[in-house]
Amino acid sequence: MKLTTASKITLIRVALIPVFLVLMWSDFTGHMWWALGLFILASGTDWVDGYVARHYNQVSSFGKFIDPLADKLLVTAAMMVFVEWGQFPAWAAILVLTREFAVTGLRLVAVEGGRVIAAGWSGKVKTFSTMICMCLMLTPWHASPLGGLGCLTIDSLSTWVIVITTVWSGLEYFIKNRDVFN
């Protein structure tokens, strides 16, 4: 199998995940800024590989497999660290992971029937908003109250944005493709 440029870019995203995790757990001065920069870079490769694949006609079966997997690995890695640090509730992480497994299962059932379920608009919104929220959660002011509201922080607002877009996109996938189970 010859790797396309788009797939190589996706594999770079996967390779950046352990580096990101090392930065997250490091204790040198500025490590979180480096982690944030690396997370932004890794997240940006999602747009770049998609553009390259479409623009240069490099859409491949491997790319269709590895691109969403790379997104899930990057987001899950950050999310698990946030759960460990108390920034992201475990129930929300379980909800996100449940959605990911459920949509993957739906796609597997559809493929068995000869149908491919492409990423929907809501899934793209979910991925984009989740990555933006995770970037915000990597900032030093992630726990600061927003607008004088003591209970609303970047962490709590990000959690709700992630949960709402996750549930919305998951429901949309299942509603639009409910005939797959017939």
Side-chain angles (χ1 to χ4, degrees), residues 13-35:
R13 182 161 68 252
V14 173
L16 290 175
I17 295 168
V19 180
F20 167 72
L21 290 172
V22 167
L23 288 170
M24 291 286 285
W25 281 308
S26 297
D27 60 358
F28 68 88
T29 304
H31 71 100
M32 290 304 292
W33 289 112
W34 284 99

Side-chain angles (χ1 to χ4, degrees), residues 14 19 24-25 39 41-42 46 55 61 64 66 86 91-92 103 106 109 112-113 123 127 147-148 160 162 177-178:
V14 173
V19 180
M24 291 286 285
W25 281 308
F39 190 86
L41 175 67
D46 186 33
H55 189 72
S61 295
K64 289 178 187 177
I66 196 67
W91 67 263
V103 170
L106 174 67
V109 170
E112 188 176 296
T127 299
W160 284 109
I162 292 167
N177 299 289
R178 62 186 171 272

